[in-house]
Amino acid sequence: MWEPNGNHQANATVAERGPLTSSRFESVRSPYIAEPKTAGADLKNIGQGTAPVLYTFFVSAILLVLSLEWIYPVTSTGQQGSERFLSVMATLTGTLLLAGLLRTGWITGILIRLCIALAALCWMYGGSDPAGWALTYPSTLAGDMGSFFHTWRFHSISIETRGLLMMCGWSMLMTSVQSLVLLRRSVMLFGSATLVYLLLLESFAGLDVYASVIRSVLWILLIQAMLQLLRLNGGVTTPIYGRSPYVLWSTVTLAVSACMVLFSAIPGQLASIPQPERISLEQMGERLARWAGYTQNASIPAAAAVTGYSTADAPMGAPLIQGDTLFFEAKSPEATYWRGETRSYYNGSTWSDPAQRFETASPSGLVRADGWENPTYWQRIRQTVTMKREWRGPNPLFTGGMPLQLSLQDKNSDHQKNKRLLLSNEDSATLWLAGAYDDQPVKSYTADVMIPVATPEQLRLLGKTSKMKDPAVIRRTYLQLPTTLPGRVQALAKEIIQGSETRYDAVQAVKSYLANHAAYTLDTRMPPRGTDFVDDFLFVTRQGYCNHFSTAMIVLLRAEGIPARWVKGFGPGEADANVSGQYIITQGDAHSWVEVYFPGAGWMPFEATPGFTMTQGEGQGAAALGGQQPAGTPPLTDGGVARAGAWLLARVRAIAAQPWLAAALAAAALLCAAGALRMRRLRPALRLRLLLAWPRSSFPDRERLLSAAAPVWAALARRYGPRPPGMTLREYAASPAVAAGTDGADIARFAADWERLLYGPDRPLRADSLEFLRRALHLARRLQAL
């Protein structure tokens, strides 16, 4: 039942060994398996060991060309630095593939590849002095690690460290692909991934990858054809060639693969065939959008939302309906705008602030004590806010200015002072209520805040006399503009601001332009897909509400180098006729405005929307900010673990508050546990069934057969008792307890086949291997049923 593989000396050695002793059945996989020839050695022998070095080098060279198809389309757009990136990545890939041809231990291999990646990193970012750059990079890496562990966000690290991670990932990918190609003799997985990747580049990035797809098909066919020789040499039937079979096979496969690809171009040469329309995911999305009522060149329809405050940053521009739901009441000696959150990053459709860093506020309620406030431009007041709706963490706390101190006035269920965790961001001057396990809402709090009292004359004089410049961190964060911003927006900003002597004059010039060239309305529409929100507002619709005016004002200021940021919260609200100094704030007062940085004075608020004013002491109606939406992602706490724990505890309490949902989840957990126990018991039979149902061209091999059938011995030990020390498998199968069973004959045959498969030098035939697996499956089922 076994096919000889030509190793008669090994057969004789096995025959002379005599009875099998129990010490020979030790194995790393099972106490019943012994493998004098390890699977790793077998793979190495049938992999690189039997093929000439030049042959494996040739296969790796073609694999290098195929891997470069991942890089070339991205660098073919002519962007600055693309040639350097392509040369670095090509050299890195080639060096990694050369290192993969060396026979080294896994630790040595990892160190070699890490050194290669570091050398490529120095070449990439070191410029003309890679060695000098390498000496300074450890400090950059240490800073990036500290920043990442503080924020737990990938964007906080430098471009150089991102490049290092990319190169390390690419090194692992190339190592895995080369092992798969040379050991498993298959390139179809990597080839399929390459084609899918190229199609995604065409769909989402709009790159022309048609030639890359054609070339990739050629490389895949060529590599797979060359690997077929290794598969034939390691299979059941070994082909007979004349001299130099590898050279002959390489020549033939290269010619055949080239002919197959060139043959596909013949119809295009014989007849005039129109260029086929490329099918992409983008086009599919557009067709579905048209079917649903969207049009490519028209605006995206959106249902009107009710005005209100939301922490979610959805695309702006949707039509709004004025709301009047009471949100909170506030006592303040001055009418102020109520700041909730600030945003610094504009992507062309909405605002976000991924780089905000929150720290735990002082238990005493002191938010900041750095003395930043200047009495010349700021005044300290005390305000009390009483929420009229449930306000739980994580959510912002609204204040009428820059917060200095905050204390919670409400008590918990035990009539003790509320000690909820507060998070503060000094850069944005915002406060957040962190999520907590008790999930109790905040009802009232008192805050000492600084409100601006600078006059226009002071700000103009400050711009003329101050020699201070904007700090680097301010310029880096608050001058950001999307790369897709149309040039006519920047040209308009230059036209509006030119001639302004001071920063204050520039702000007023932009404000006047918006008031004279755009109208206020809630009946708006979303801009067309792919259109910049500000560009559509300034040059097409010329109408909108506070989001439109405030965003346009910030973009125009930033285009001329003036730092500005977006603020959302509430307008002053309506003064209470019955209580002096008290204001009623509703959902309809939700609003957004602008803050501009003045060196020496700080962030000064400005109203961009026509019809609204920042004048203190006069409540104004406010435009709406956005529709009511669920709370978004909370800001950072002390760390990722604390944030995840608070979120998990909050979800557990929410589930426990709903008995039916909790019962359903408990029942589902019990069913999953029962299913897992059942699958664990059926796993041996299931694995054997899968092997029988999905035979491969390289099937069978010794390691897979023994690994799949090994659980049968464990089942026999549970059924008939463990095998005594010193007893061979055949003796155990012939013991009275086992032989007397209904499956005694099958067990004896299984033991004999197992020993011959384990120690025999012959390669099992396919039919005999399937019979061995069927017998093991039968025994596994019988023993599980007993």
Side-chain angles (χ1 to χ4, degrees):
M1 64 176 288
W2 312 103
E3 180 185 1
N5 64 354
N7 193 349
H8 302 289
Q9 180 64 30
N11 261 334
T13 304
V14 173
E16 292 171 0
R17 288 174 181 169
L20 301 172
T21 61
S22 61
S23 63
R24 299 168 62 184
F25 293 93
E26 299 176 357
S27 172
V28 295
R29 292 185 178 270
S30 170
Y32 301 99
I33 306 175
E35 299 184 9
K37 295 189 299 181
T38 62
D42 291 341
L43 287 175
K44 188 175 291 186
N45 290 335
I46 64 178
Q48 298 176 355
T50 58
V53 176
L54 289 178
Y55 192 75
T56 56
F57 178 82
F58 190 27
V59 173
S60 300
I62 305 176
L63 182 61
L64 168 63
V65 179
L66 176 61
S67 63
L68 291 181
E69 297 295 347
W70 287 63
I71 306 171
Y72 176 73
V74 182
T75 60
S76 61
T77 56
Q79 296 182 358
Q80 184 178 4
S82 59
E83 297 82 0
R84 184 182 186 88
F85 179 78
L86 178 60
S87 60
V88 171
M89 293 303 297
T91 305
L92 171 64
T93 307
T95 309
L96 290 171
L97 294 176
L98 283 177
L101 297 177
L102 303 176
R103 294 187 178 182
T104 60
W106 66 274
I107 296 180
T108 305
I110 291 176
L111 293 177
I112 291 175
R113 290 168 176 82
L114 181 59
C115 292
I116 294 173
L118 291 175
L121 185 71
C122 295
W123 184 16
M124 177 79 74
Y125 298 104
S128 59
D129 187 17
W133 182 88
L135 295 177
T136 61
Y137 177 67
S139 60
T140 303
L141 179 61
D144 289 338
M145 294 178 63
S147 177
F148 177 77
F149 287 121
H150 181 75
T151 62
W152 291 102
R153 296 190 177 185
F154 182 74
H155 62 76
S156 62
I157 64 179
S158 64
I159 298 178
E160 292 83 356
T161 302
R162 298 182 194 180
L164 175 62
L165 296 178
M166 182 271 293
M167 291 181 180
C168 291
W170 183 256
S171 301
M172 291 188 291
L173 175 63
M174 287 296 100
T175 301
S176 302
V177 170
Q178 189 178 29
S179 300
L180 182 68
V181 170
L182 295 181
L183 297 182
R184 294 297 180 183
R185 303 161 188 165
S186 175
V187 75
M188 299 311 297
L189 179 61
F190 182 65
S192 302
T194 302
L195 296 177
V196 172
Y197 166 76
L198 293 174
L199 293 177
L200 291 178
L201 284 183
E202 190 273 338
S203 300
F204 294 104
L207 300 179
D208 186 4
V209 298
Y210 183 75
S212 295
V213 171
I214 298 299
R215 291 194 303 267
S216 298
V217 172
L218 172 61
W219 309 136
I220 294 170
L221 292 175
L222 182 57
I223 296 176
Q224 191 63 37
M226 294 184 65
L227 294 174
Q228 192 63 26
L229 179 60
L230 298 178
R231 297 171 66 89
L232 291 175
N233 285 337
V236 175
T237 303
T238 302
I240 301 176
Y241 301 100
R243 295 181 179 180
S244 303
Y246 292 98
V247 176
L248 178 62
W249 189 274
S250 301
T251 305
V252 173
T253 53
L254 179 60
V256 171
S257 300
C259 290
M260 290 180 62
V261 175
L262 293 176
F263 181 77
S264 61
I266 294 179
Q269 301 297 326
L270 298 179
S272 178
I273 301 177
Q275 185 71 19
E277 180 183 1
R278 298 178 184 175
I279 301 176
S280 65
L281 296 179
E282 184 177 0
Q283 292 172 345
M284 293 174 60
E286 291 176 355
R287 292 173 183 176
L288 290 175
R290 286 196 296 269
W291 175 82
Y294 295 70
T295 57
Q296 182 177 5
N297 298 321
S299 61
I300 301 176
V306 179
T307 58
Y309 187 88
S310 170
T311 57
D313 297 307
M316 298 180 293
L320 297 174
I321 300 175
Q322 190 75 11
D324 57 359
T325 304
L326 181 62
F327 203 93
F328 64 89
E329 293 180 352
K331 291 184 178 180
S332 175
E334 300 286 346
T336 62
Y337 278 40
W338 301 94
R339 304 174 78 256
E341 300 172 79
T342 67
R343 295 288 183 263
S344 63
Y345 187 85
Y346 172 67
N347 64 3
S349 63
T350 187
W351 286 96
S352 63
D353 207 339
Q356 284 202 64
R357 298 180 181 179
F358 283 79
E359 297 180 355
T360 304
S362 171
S364 63
L366 190 64
V367 176
R368 62 191 302 169
D370 52 358
W372 67 271
E373 62 273 14
N374 189 329
T376 305
Y377 308 106
W378 300 87
Q379 175 186 349
R380 183 167 181 161
I381 64 172
R382 174 165 295 183
Q383 300 172 321
T384 300
V385 175
T386 302
M387 303 302 298
K388 293 302 180 179
R389 56 171 295 179
E390 288 192 355
W391 200 244
R392 310 172 186 269
N395 264 315
L397 294 177
F398 303 97
T399 59
M402 308 294 181
L404 298 178
Q405 190 169 358
L406 185 140
S407 61
L408 301 174
Q409 301 300 312
D410 51 297
K411 301 181 182 297
N412 57 23
S413 57
D414 297 328
H415 300 285
Q416 297 177 350
K417 192 173 181 179
N418 200 321
K419 297 181 178 180
R420 301 295 298 275
L421 179 62
L422 296 179
L423 304 174
S424 172
N425 187 322
E426 292 186 3
D427 295 333
S428 62
T430 54
L431 293 175
W432 271 71
L433 179 68
Y437 69 93
D438 54 6
D439 201 28
Q440 292 185 0
V442 167
K443 298 179 181 178
S444 179
Y445 57 89
T446 297
D448 287 358
V449 300
M450 299 296 294
I451 60 174
V453 293
T455 63
E457 292 75 15
Q458 288 177 318
L459 294 179
R460 286 193 180 96
L461 183 63
L462 182 66
K464 293 179 179 179
T465 60
S466 176
K467 302 298 182 180
M468 293 185 294
K469 297 182 179 180
D470 298 319
V473 64
I474 295 293
R475 296 195 305 271
R476 183 170 58 251
T477 305
Y478 299 105
L479 290 179
Q480 174 271 335
L481 288 173
T483 57
T484 57
L485 184 69
R488 59 181 180 178
V489 176
Q490 298 177 340
L492 178 62
K494 184 176 182 178
E495 178 184 348
I496 296 174
I497 297 178
Q498 66 179 356
S500 300
E501 297 182 358
T502 65
R503 180 165 295 185
Y504 179 83
D505 294 332
V507 174
Q508 292 301 319
V510 173
K511 180 178 179 180
S512 299
Y513 177 86
L514 295 177
N516 296 329
H517 293 81
Y520 177 83
T521 180
L522 296 180
D523 186 14
T524 59
R525 60 145 175 90
M526 298 285 286
R529 190 168 66 88
T531 302
D532 186 85
F533 175 74
V534 171
D535 180 79
D536 182 70
F537 168 65
L538 292 175
F539 296 98
V540 181
T541 64
R542 292 187 175 89
Q543 61 180 7
Y545 44 87
C546 59
N547 281 357
H548 298 76
F549 287 92
S550 58
T551 302
M553 184 174 182
I554 295 172
V555 170
L556 292 172
L557 291 174
R558 288 186 176 186
E560 286 299 297
I562 300 177
R565 67 187 181 189
W566 191 68
V567 189
K568 64 178 181 177
F570 289 89
E574 182 179 355
D576 192 339
N578 300 322
V579 181
S580 176
Q582 180 164 295
Y583 299 88
I584 300 173
I585 294 90
T586 66
Q587 291 279 32
D589 294 315
H591 192 48
S592 64
W593 60 96
V594 179
E595 287 183 349
V596 181
Y597 186 79
F598 286 80
W603 290 98
M604 290 292 167
F606 288 90
E607 179 58 74
T609 308
F612 302 89
T613 177
M614 303 295 291
T615 302
Q616 302 291 340
E618 180 182 359
Q620 297 287 343
L625 173 65
Q628 188 81 3
Q629 300 180 27
T633 303
L636 299 176
T637 57
D638 292 339
V641 176
R643 185 170 67 255
W647 180 88
L648 181 60
L649 288 174
R651 301 289 80 75
V652 170
R653 290 180 61 86
I655 293 174
Q658 304 180 21
W660 291 107
L661 179 58
L665 292 177
L670 292 176
L671 289 176
C672 291
L677 292 176
R678 183 62 179 169
M679 288 300 297
R680 183 178 180 183
R681 185 174 181 181
L682 295 178
R683 185 171 53 186
L686 180 62
R687 185 176 182 184
L688 291 168
R689 170 57 65 185
L690 290 176
L691 281 177
L692 287 170
W694 187 27
R696 307 181 185 184
S697 58
S698 60
F699 184 88
D701 63 52
R702 187 190 307 269
E703 182 184 12
R704 190 176 289 110
L705 289 173
L706 295 177
S707 177
V712 175
W713 293 113
L716 286 173
R718 291 193 299 268
R719 179 68 178 86
Y720 298 104
R723 176 172 57 87
M727 178 181 290
T728 65
L729 293 180
R730 291 196 187 191
E731 292 172 349
Y732 178 71
S735 62
V738 179
T742 56
D743 300 310
D746 287 334
I747 295 174
R749 182 67 180 275
F750 175 74
D753 291 346
W754 175 278
E755 290 184 348
R756 187 162 187 176
L757 177 64
L758 182 61
Y759 298 109
D762 302 332
R763 183 181 182 87
L765 294 174
R766 181 183 184 85
D768 296 325
S769 299
L770 294 176
E771 182 182 353
F772 174 76
L773 287 177
R774 293 191 184 98
R775 184 175 292 108
L777 178 60
H778 171 74
L779 290 175
R781 287 176 172 175
R782 289 282 300 169
L783 294 172
Q784 290 169 1
L786 295 177

